[in-house]
Amino acid sequence: MPGGTLNAVDGISFDVDRGEIVGIVGESGSGKTMTALSLLRLIPEPGKITSGKILYGEQDVVQMSDEEIREFRGNEVAMIFQDPMTSLNPVLRVGFQVEEAMAAHNRFTRQQARDRVIPMLQRVRIPAAKDRVRDYPHQFSGGMRQRAMIAMGVSNEPSLLIADEPTTALDVTVQASIIELLRDISRELRAAVILITHNMALVASLCNRVIVMYAGRIVEEGPTRAIFKNPQHPYTWSLLRSMPRVDETTRERLISIKGLPPDLGKMPPGCKFHPRCKFRVDRCLTEEPPLAEVDPGQDARCWVLMKNVQNPEAIAQT
Amino acid sequence: MRGTLIYIGQRLVLIAITTVLVSSIVFVLLHQIPGNAFLNETRQSPQTLAAELHHYGLDLPLQQQYLNWVQGVLRGDLGESLVNRGVKITPLLIRETTVSATVGFFALLVTVGLGLILGVIAALRQNTWVDYAASSTAVVGYSIPSFVIAIFGLLIFGHYLYIWTQGTFFYQPGWGKIEQIPVPALALGLPYASYVARLTRASMLETIRTDYVRTAWAKGLKARVVVMRHALRNALIPVVTILGPLVTGIITGSVVIENIFGIPGLGKEFITSILARDYNIVIGVFTFYAALVGLANLAVDVIYPVLDPRIRY
Ligand SMILES: Nc1ncnc2c1ncn2[C@@H]1O[C@H](COP(=O)(O)OP(=O)(O)OP(=O)(O)O)[C@@H](O)[C@H]1O
Ligand code: SF4
Ligand SMILES: [Mg+2]
């Protein structure tokens, strides 16, 4: 990036309440991971948060000092990453990596942290946890590693848990059980969950609300039920159209819509979705629509909105 | 654990075989040299010469000499000096090896210590002046051979700073005082330190971008813990891989350094014995070097599994 700023994610704002599960969906490269990382100020170099606020309760994450953000990470907000094969340190024992997460904050003493490791591993249903605490990550299967990551994430009883495609890298046979674990444990802790996923069926069955992202922007958000019933943004509409049937919940079919998402360096003018949009009007080419309320609690970023389109199926076929 | 012990046992056997093999080759080659160690002694009657040859068993057929030699080696007896009659070689070389090992140990300390510090700092401050300074120091250090550093060391500490050092470093007879160690160790270790620094920098740059280091940040660990425990621990693994060749390099390099500084170690003996045509000692020195290189590499290999639990013997 020679000079200038590339906005990987732009003007994102959303709120999550305790006990709520919010889904973030969108194609690969739409900025889901970036959004999640920015919540913890973990954007990789040379990226940075150029403007805006990330409010957590009364605190602004962007304004926090280094020590404040360190206390915040893993304590108030914990994150579970996409690939459990690479997310655990290969040279440290799994039990120690869980212990370390607790010892880093002042919620528990060193001794308490140590004593809580086995119960934590049991809580995420790792079989024979007592014997496995001293194992290294390579002795764990992918599913078990993700369980260990979850144990690490919830060990400090955070009020927000961010799970970035927690099952994409896993065997289909264990995906369902990991999701189930996440749901149960967040209920027990009364924690809010942000679930990043490609899987619309999963969103339908798990999330209270959905955020749909495209080209680093939120293009639609609202209650799951409303979005699935009446998607207003053409992108959301197409996503749902290409969705696998509900009885295929464990399949994470890749969302497929004709064309490619825009390159960060060559963002189209106007609505970022217009090159792929079947419903565009002249205004879409020059002016970017704002995120505006279309129904109570449901917002969409579109000049046209699907409710104003007659017979969308016919147009989409063209 | 048991696997490790068996592994060490196997390696020790291999080292013993290599050592005997190396010394045998040297033995055979040296005995190919026409004449013998005493030919140049001018005022020597044929009788004394014959007596000398007989004393050392040099009048026996070569096969017999060789068998005697191998038997000696297996008993740990490398025979007697040809020049200083009555001086047993094994204890002499053991004494000299401890001297060399001391210098070598400190050189390794310089290499690894300095290399790691420079490398880590450069990686953490990537593309800042700190990085450039550390990296240029490394390139400079790497391009200057250790004997040049040694000569500059002599010039600076032995000449310009004579008033301060009083020549303690090199000129006083006797060796083993602590203040005699730093300059030779620095000269010996510095070029390799630069090498370690460059490798550490590259390795650190890789590990600080890994997912598990991101996990460590996300857990809210202190920066020091993330860097030392998570990034550096893993970055060390490739660095340890080159430690074997590095130790071998230090051992070879010590021959030159010991001679420049007059350190009475194995390297000095190597040259002295060759010049004196004390062939028995020459063979002995080779034998010791072979064993030393083998043992040093074994020590390095034993560190691996400590650093990387995925490796098990
Ligand atoms: N380290 C980086 N440096 C520069 N650009 C990056 C970097 N990481 C990601 N990006 C860009 O930022 C944009 C957002 O990426 P992000 O990883 O957030 O997408 P995502 O929605 O999580 O995709 P996926 O579904 O594949 O995980 C992408 O266009 C990506 O190319
Ligand atoms: S604003 Fe226009 S181009 Fe963009 S999604 Fe709506 S209709 Fe399509
Ligand atoms: Mg992602």
Side-chain angles (χ1 to χ4, degrees):
Chain A
M1 292 186 204
T5 311
L6 284 182
N7 287 313
V9 267
D10 224 349
I12 301 284
S13 91
F14 53 87
D15 34 41
V16 190
D17 297 328
R18 256 187 183 269
E20 198 182 32
I21 302 185
V22 175
I24 301 186
V25 295
E27 282 166 300
S28 217
S30 54
K32 305 185 296 292
T33 300
M34 285 298 149
T35 306
L37 288 175
S38 66
L39 295 181
L40 282 177
R41 249 168 62 186
L42 282 174
I43 305 286
E45 295 281 327
K48 56 170 168 284
I49 301 170
T50 46
S51 62
K53 279 189 224 175
I54 299 167
L55 287 180
Y56 181 82
E58 299 291 294
Q59 303 159 275
D60 183 356
V61 175
V62 181
Q63 301 297 329
M64 283 183 189
S65 70
D66 284 354
E67 181 54 23
E68 282 169 334
I69 189 79
R70 188 193 69 73
E71 240 342 293
F72 180 75
R73 292 172 179 156
N75 198 12
E76 298 288 341
V77 178
M79 191 153 176
I80 293 157
F81 296 101
Q82 184 165 353
D83 191 353
M85 302 317 260
T86 56
S87 295
L88 285 165
N89 190 325
V91 305
L92 298 176
R93 295 180 201 278
V94 174
F96 178 76
Q97 297 190 51
V98 177
E99 178 190 326
E100 183 186 53
M102 290 183 272
H105 303 287
N106 43 29
R107 219 178 274 253
F108 306 105
T109 63
R110 266 253 159 217
Q111 190 56 46
Q112 283 172 324
R114 203 162 298 150
D115 295 342
R116 273 172 57 92
V117 172
I118 293 175
M120 280 321 298
L121 293 183
Q122 284 165 339
R123 194 165 178 183
V124 294
R125 299 166 204 162
I126 287 178
K130 275 199 188 69
D131 305 324
R132 311 290 315 244
V133 270
R134 291 183 57 77
D135 277 5
Y136 288 98
H138 72 273
Q139 290 163 299
F140 270 40
S141 68
M144 294 231 298
R145 290 187 207 191
Q146 197 60 301
R147 285 171 195 275
M149 284 295 293
I150 294 173
M152 209 183 281
V154 300
S155 62
N156 285 307
E157 305 186 346
S159 37
L160 173 62
L161 195 60
I162 304 168
D164 186 2
E165 303 189 40
T167 59
T168 322
L170 297 177
D171 218 64
V172 274
T173 51
V174 297
Q175 289 181 352
S177 64
I178 294 287
I179 289 296
E180 202 179 310
L181 173 68
L182 262 178
R183 188 194 55 202
D184 293 352
I185 217 158
S186 63
R187 264 188 206 153
E188 287 166 31
L189 294 174
R190 300 204 0 88
V193 177
I194 294 178
L195 178 73
I196 297 174
T197 179
H198 283 140
N199 189 334
M200 290 302 268
L202 188 62
V203 171
S205 68
L206 207 62
C207 302
N208 311 79
R209 288 197 302 128
V210 203
I211 292 170
V212 182
M213 291 196 57
Y214 186 79
R217 290 151 173 73
I218 294 179
V219 292
E220 183 155 14
E221 68 175 308
T224 310
R225 191 184 293 261
I227 299 257
F228 274 67
K229 201 157 159 240
N230 286 313
Q232 290 307 314
H233 195 281
Y235 179 63
T236 318
W237 184 84
S238 322
L239 283 186
L240 290 170
R241 225 171 123 258
S242 61
M243 183 181 140
R245 293 195 320 279
V246 188
D247 48 63
E248 288 182 296
T249 38
T250 52
R251 291 262 316 270
E252 298 216 1
R253 181 186 294 182
L254 283 180
I255 293 160
S256 58
I257 298 173
K258 270 210 196 89
L260 292 171
D263 189 332
L264 279 186
K266 287 182 276 179
M267 281 287 195
C271 173
K272 303 307 166 224
F273 187 57
H274 86 249
R276 298 167 78 187
C277 186
K278 298 272 195 213
F279 309 101
R280 65 169 177 244
V281 294
D282 289 346
R283 192 180 186 185
C284 306
L285 308 186
T286 50
E287 256 181 282
E288 178 159 27
L291 191 63
E293 186 163 77
V294 288
D295 254 327
Q298 183 178 358
D299 301 333
R301 191 188 289 279
C302 176
W303 294 127
V304 177
L305 299 178
M306 292 310 287
K307 63 182 172 192
N308 302 322
V309 179
Q310 306 291 320
N311 199 1
E313 278 299 334
I315 299 174
Q317 295 300 332
T318 58
Chain B
M1 194 59 224
R2 229 184 109 233
T4 313
L5 287 180
I6 293 174
Y7 174 78
I8 293 175
Q10 288 170 337
R11 283 285 299 268
L12 286 175
V13 171
L14 278 178
I15 291 170
I17 294 174
T18 321
T19 307
V20 171
L21 222 64
V22 167
S23 60
S24 300
I25 293 171
V26 178
F27 180 93
V28 171
L29 288 180
L30 277 182
H31 282 81
Q32 297 306 309
I33 298 176
N36 59 56
F38 309 107
L39 272 186
N40 267 15
E41 310 288 323
T42 40
R43 279 161 294 156
Q44 203 173 35
S45 67
Q47 289 89 336
T48 18
L49 181 60
E52 288 278 17
L53 288 177
H54 182 72
H55 176 81
Y56 289 101
L58 291 172
D59 50 351
L60 298 170
L62 192 59
Q63 292 94 317
Q64 192 58 47
Q65 284 187 34
Y66 178 68
L67 282 181
N68 291 348
W69 154 257
V70 171
Q71 276 172 9
V73 170
L74 292 179
R75 271 183 283 117
D77 178 9
L78 292 166
E80 204 180 309
S81 164
L82 295 177
V83 176
N84 301 308
R85 200 162 158 174
V87 172
K88 282 290 185 192
I89 293 174
T90 311
L92 173 78
L93 292 189
I94 287 179
R95 207 166 49 240
E96 290 174 343
T97 303
T98 50
V99 171
S100 296
T102 312
V103 180
F105 173 78
F106 283 100
L108 194 63
L109 221 61
V110 169
T111 300
V112 175
L114 212 62
L116 286 183
I117 292 169
L118 280 181
V120 169
I121 291 176
L124 293 182
R125 300 271 173 272
Q126 193 198 1
N127 298 333
T128 63
W129 68 267
V130 186
D131 178 20
Y132 298 136
S135 299
S136 338
T137 314
V139 172
V140 170
Y142 188 57
S143 9
I144 302 179
S146 67
F147 73 88
V148 175
I149 300 178
I151 289 167
F152 275 105
L154 268 181
L155 190 66
I156 293 168
F157 291 95
H159 182 69
Y160 296 134
L161 297 180
Y162 185 82
I163 301 196
W164 178 50
T165 64
Q166 289 301 314
T168 333
F169 287 97
F170 330 103
Y171 301 130
Q172 277 184 2
W175 199 88
K177 275 185 271 131
I178 196 79
E179 63 268 26
Q180 290 175 305
I181 296 175
V183 181
L186 217 62
L188 189 50
L190 222 48
Y192 298 109
S194 328
Y195 195 72
V196 171
R198 295 201 314 179
L199 192 66
T200 306
R201 177 179 180 273
S203 180
M204 271 300 275
L205 285 178
E206 217 166 275
T207 50
I208 55 180
R209 284 172 176 67
T210 56
D211 287 356
Y212 54 82
V213 167
R214 186 177 63 183
T215 306
W217 287 119
K219 282 201 268 193
L221 299 180
K222 294 204 162 69
R224 185 177 44 82
V225 177
V226 175
V227 170
M228 302 301 283
R229 192 188 286 161
H230 288 269
L232 185 59
R233 265 292 303 269
N234 281 281
L236 281 183
I237 295 171
V239 177
V240 172
T241 353
I242 64 143
L243 226 51
L246 214 111
V247 168
T248 313
I250 286 180
I251 292 176
T252 350
S254 69
V255 175
V256 177
I257 294 300
E258 285 181 12
N259 280 287
I260 291 176
F261 288 95
I263 298 164
L266 211 52
K268 180 125 191 337
E269 187 65 69
F270 183 53
I271 304 293
T272 316
S273 60
I274 286 177
L275 292 180
R277 271 170 294 125
D278 199 334
Y279 297 141
N280 281 359
I281 294 188
V282 175
I283 302 169
V285 170
F286 270 108
T287 313
F288 264 69
Y289 272 135
L292 220 55
V293 170
L295 290 175
N297 279 290
L298 174 59
V300 169
D301 287 349
V302 172
I303 304 178
Y304 271 137
V306 177
L307 220 54
D308 188 351
R310 285 162 297 186
I311 295 173
R312 279 279 165 270
Y313 297 124

